[in-house]
Short mmCIF file of all heavy atoms in Angstrom, two decimals:
data_model
loop_
_atom_site.label_atom_id
_atom_site.label_comp_id
_atom_site.label_asym_id
_atom_site.label_seq_id
_atom_site.Cartn_x
_atom_site.Cartn_y
_atom_site.Cartn_z
N GLY A 27 140.64 156.43 85.27
CA GLY A 27 140.94 156.64 86.69
C GLY A 27 139.85 156.22 87.62
O GLY A 27 140.06 156.08 88.82
N PHE A 28 138.71 155.88 87.11
CA PHE A 28 137.59 155.47 87.96
C PHE A 28 137.82 154.10 88.62
O PHE A 28 137.38 153.86 89.72
CB PHE A 28 136.26 155.48 87.14
CG PHE A 28 135.80 156.85 86.82
CD1 PHE A 28 135.90 157.29 85.55
CD2 PHE A 28 135.27 157.71 87.78
CE1 PHE A 28 135.40 158.61 85.17
CE2 PHE A 28 134.88 158.99 87.41
CZ PHE A 28 134.96 159.45 86.15
N ALA A 29 138.48 153.22 87.85
CA ALA A 29 138.80 151.86 88.38
C ALA A 29 139.70 151.96 89.64
O ALA A 29 139.50 151.34 90.64
CB ALA A 29 139.34 150.99 87.32
N THR A 30 140.70 152.85 89.50
CA THR A 30 141.56 153.00 90.67
C THR A 30 140.89 153.58 91.89
O THR A 30 141.06 153.20 93.03
CB THR A 30 142.84 153.93 90.19
OG1 THR A 30 143.52 153.28 89.15
CG2 THR A 30 143.73 154.14 91.44
N ARG A 31 140.02 154.54 91.55
CA ARG A 31 139.29 155.20 92.70
C ARG A 31 138.45 154.11 93.36
O ARG A 31 138.35 154.07 94.61
CB ARG A 31 138.38 156.32 92.15
CG ARG A 31 137.54 156.92 93.28
CD ARG A 31 136.63 158.01 92.75
NE ARG A 31 137.37 159.12 92.34
CZ ARG A 31 136.78 160.30 91.86
NH1 ARG A 31 135.46 160.35 91.69
NH2 ARG A 31 137.53 161.31 91.59
N GLY A 32 137.73 153.26 92.55
CA GLY A 32 136.93 152.24 93.14
C GLY A 32 137.66 151.25 94.01
O GLY A 32 137.25 150.85 95.10
N ARG A 33 138.85 150.83 93.48
CA ARG A 33 139.65 149.92 94.22
C ARG A 33 140.22 150.52 95.53
O ARG A 33 140.31 149.91 96.56
CB ARG A 33 140.80 149.44 93.41
CG ARG A 33 140.37 148.58 92.19
CD ARG A 33 141.57 147.97 91.52
NE ARG A 33 141.19 147.23 90.30
CZ ARG A 33 141.46 147.67 89.11
NH1 ARG A 33 142.10 148.84 88.90
NH2 ARG A 33 141.09 147.05 88.01
N THR A 34 140.51 151.83 95.38
CA THR A 34 141.03 152.53 96.66
C THR A 34 139.98 152.65 97.71
O THR A 34 140.18 152.39 98.91
CB THR A 34 141.50 153.90 96.25
OG1 THR A 34 142.58 153.80 95.29
CG2 THR A 34 142.03 154.65 97.48
N ASP A 35 138.76 153.01 97.28
CA ASP A 35 137.63 153.07 98.22
C ASP A 35 137.37 151.71 98.89
O ASP A 35 137.10 151.63 100.09
CB ASP A 35 136.39 153.55 97.56
CG ASP A 35 136.49 154.99 97.09
OD1 ASP A 35 137.35 155.73 97.66
OD2 ASP A 35 135.64 155.42 96.22
N ALA A 36 137.51 150.60 98.11
CA ALA A 36 137.30 149.32 98.62
C ALA A 36 138.38 148.97 99.68
O ALA A 36 138.08 148.36 100.72
CB ALA A 36 137.26 148.23 97.52
N ALA A 37 139.61 149.32 99.39
CA ALA A 37 140.74 149.08 100.29
C ALA A 37 140.53 149.84 101.55
O ALA A 37 140.86 149.31 102.68
CB ALA A 37 142.07 149.36 99.65
N VAL A 38 140.08 151.09 101.51
CA VAL A 38 139.84 151.91 102.69
C VAL A 38 138.78 151.32 103.55
O VAL A 38 138.85 151.22 104.80
CB VAL A 38 139.48 153.34 102.37
CG1 VAL A 38 139.01 154.15 103.48
CG2 VAL A 38 140.71 154.02 101.63
N ALA A 39 137.72 150.78 102.90
CA ALA A 39 136.62 150.13 103.61
C ALA A 39 137.14 148.89 104.34
O ALA A 39 136.76 148.57 105.48
CB ALA A 39 135.49 149.79 102.70
N GLN A 40 138.06 148.15 103.69
CA GLN A 40 138.63 146.98 104.33
C GLN A 40 139.49 147.31 105.52
O GLN A 40 139.51 146.64 106.56
CB GLN A 40 139.49 146.19 103.31
CG GLN A 40 138.71 145.45 102.21
CD GLN A 40 138.01 144.23 102.81
OE1 GLN A 40 138.32 143.72 103.85
NE2 GLN A 40 136.89 143.83 102.19
N GLN A 41 140.14 148.44 105.48
CA GLN A 41 140.90 148.91 106.63
C GLN A 41 140.04 149.22 107.75
O GLN A 41 140.30 148.93 108.93
CB GLN A 41 141.78 150.11 106.21
CG GLN A 41 142.55 150.64 107.40
CD GLN A 41 143.35 151.91 107.03
OE1 GLN A 41 143.70 152.15 105.88
NE2 GLN A 41 143.63 152.76 107.96
N SER A 42 138.91 150.01 107.48
CA SER A 42 137.93 150.27 108.54
C SER A 42 137.34 149.00 109.17
O SER A 42 137.19 148.94 110.38
CB SER A 42 136.87 151.12 107.93
OG SER A 42 135.85 151.44 108.82
N ALA A 43 137.10 148.02 108.29
CA ALA A 43 136.56 146.76 108.85
C ALA A 43 137.61 146.07 109.71
O ALA A 43 137.21 145.46 110.74
CB ALA A 43 136.14 145.86 107.71
N ALA A 44 138.84 146.09 109.38
CA ALA A 44 139.89 145.50 110.17
C ALA A 44 140.01 146.19 111.52
O ALA A 44 140.24 145.51 112.49
CB ALA A 44 141.21 145.51 109.40
N GLU A 45 139.87 147.49 111.57
CA GLU A 45 139.91 148.23 112.82
C GLU A 45 138.75 147.86 113.73
O GLU A 45 138.86 147.71 114.95
CB GLU A 45 139.91 149.74 112.53
CG GLU A 45 141.27 150.18 111.85
CD GLU A 45 141.16 151.61 111.36
OE1 GLU A 45 140.01 152.15 111.31
OE2 GLU A 45 142.22 152.18 110.97
N ASP A 46 137.57 147.64 113.10
CA ASP A 46 136.47 147.26 113.89
C ASP A 46 136.62 145.79 114.40
O ASP A 46 136.16 145.49 115.55
CB ASP A 46 135.14 147.29 113.03
CG ASP A 46 134.69 148.72 112.67
OD1 ASP A 46 135.10 149.62 113.43
OD2 ASP A 46 133.93 148.88 111.75
N ASP A 47 137.26 144.99 113.58
CA ASP A 47 137.49 143.62 114.02
C ASP A 47 138.39 143.55 115.26
O ASP A 47 138.28 142.73 116.13
CB ASP A 47 138.13 142.84 112.91
CG ASP A 47 137.13 142.42 111.82
OD1 ASP A 47 135.90 142.51 112.04
OD2 ASP A 47 137.55 141.97 110.74
N LEU A 48 139.41 144.47 115.27
CA LEU A 48 140.33 144.56 116.43
C LEU A 48 139.55 144.97 117.71
O LEU A 48 139.72 144.37 118.76
CB LEU A 48 141.40 145.59 116.11
CG LEU A 48 142.37 145.92 117.31
CD1 LEU A 48 143.05 144.65 117.81
CD2 LEU A 48 143.34 146.98 116.95
N ALA A 49 138.70 145.98 117.60
CA ALA A 49 137.92 146.39 118.69
C ALA A 49 137.00 145.23 119.26
O ALA A 49 136.86 145.09 120.45
CB ALA A 49 136.99 147.52 118.34
N TYR A 50 136.42 144.47 118.28
CA TYR A 50 135.64 143.34 118.71
C TYR A 50 136.43 142.24 119.39
O TYR A 50 136.04 141.70 120.38
CB TYR A 50 134.90 142.73 117.53
CG TYR A 50 134.06 141.53 117.80
CD1 TYR A 50 132.85 141.67 118.51
CD2 TYR A 50 134.46 140.31 117.43
CE1 TYR A 50 132.06 140.56 118.76
CE2 TYR A 50 133.68 139.19 117.69
CZ TYR A 50 132.56 139.29 118.38
OH TYR A 50 131.77 138.21 118.61
N ALA A 51 137.65 142.00 118.90
CA ALA A 51 138.50 140.95 119.42
C ALA A 51 138.95 141.35 120.85
O ALA A 51 139.00 140.55 121.71
CB ALA A 51 139.75 140.74 118.48
N VAL A 52 139.23 142.60 121.04
CA VAL A 52 139.65 143.06 122.40
C VAL A 52 138.41 142.91 123.33
O VAL A 52 138.59 142.44 124.48
CB VAL A 52 140.06 144.59 122.36
CG1 VAL A 52 140.19 145.10 123.77
CG2 VAL A 52 141.38 144.68 121.61
N SER A 53 137.24 143.30 122.86
CA SER A 53 136.08 143.15 123.68
C SER A 53 135.84 141.65 124.11
O SER A 53 135.52 141.27 125.28
CB SER A 53 134.80 143.69 123.02
OG SER A 53 133.66 143.54 123.76
N GLU A 54 135.95 140.78 123.09
CA GLU A 54 135.72 139.31 123.30
C GLU A 54 136.82 138.77 124.30
O GLU A 54 136.53 137.89 125.10
CB GLU A 54 135.71 138.55 122.00
CG GLU A 54 134.42 138.71 121.24
CD GLU A 54 133.24 138.13 121.99
OE1 GLU A 54 133.22 136.91 122.13
OE2 GLU A 54 132.39 138.95 122.45
N LEU A 55 138.02 139.27 124.07
CA LEU A 55 139.14 138.83 124.99
C LEU A 55 138.86 139.20 126.41
O LEU A 55 139.00 138.38 127.35
CB LEU A 55 140.42 139.34 124.54
CG LEU A 55 141.63 139.09 125.43
CD1 LEU A 55 141.86 137.57 125.42
CD2 LEU A 55 142.87 139.80 124.92
N GLU A 56 138.44 140.41 126.64
CA GLU A 56 138.10 140.92 128.01
C GLU A 56 136.94 140.10 128.61
O GLU A 56 136.94 139.75 129.83
CB GLU A 56 137.82 142.39 128.03
CG GLU A 56 139.03 143.20 127.62
CD GLU A 56 138.71 144.70 127.54
OE1 GLU A 56 137.51 145.03 127.32
OE2 GLU A 56 139.68 145.57 127.69
N ARG A 57 135.98 139.79 127.81
CA ARG A 57 134.81 139.03 128.26
C ARG A 57 135.25 137.63 128.62
O ARG A 57 134.81 137.06 129.68
CB ARG A 57 133.74 138.95 127.17
CG ARG A 57 132.46 138.27 127.66
CD ARG A 57 131.44 138.26 126.50
NE ARG A 57 131.83 137.40 125.36
CZ ARG A 57 131.66 136.09 125.37
NH1 ARG A 57 131.04 135.48 126.34
NH2 ARG A 57 132.08 135.41 124.30
#
């Protein structure tokens, strides 16, 4: 079960990164 947990944590981190990328894209667009 540890492999699944590691992959899940990685996927959650990717989701967080994608949300940050959206915020940055909005900021750059407004600029």
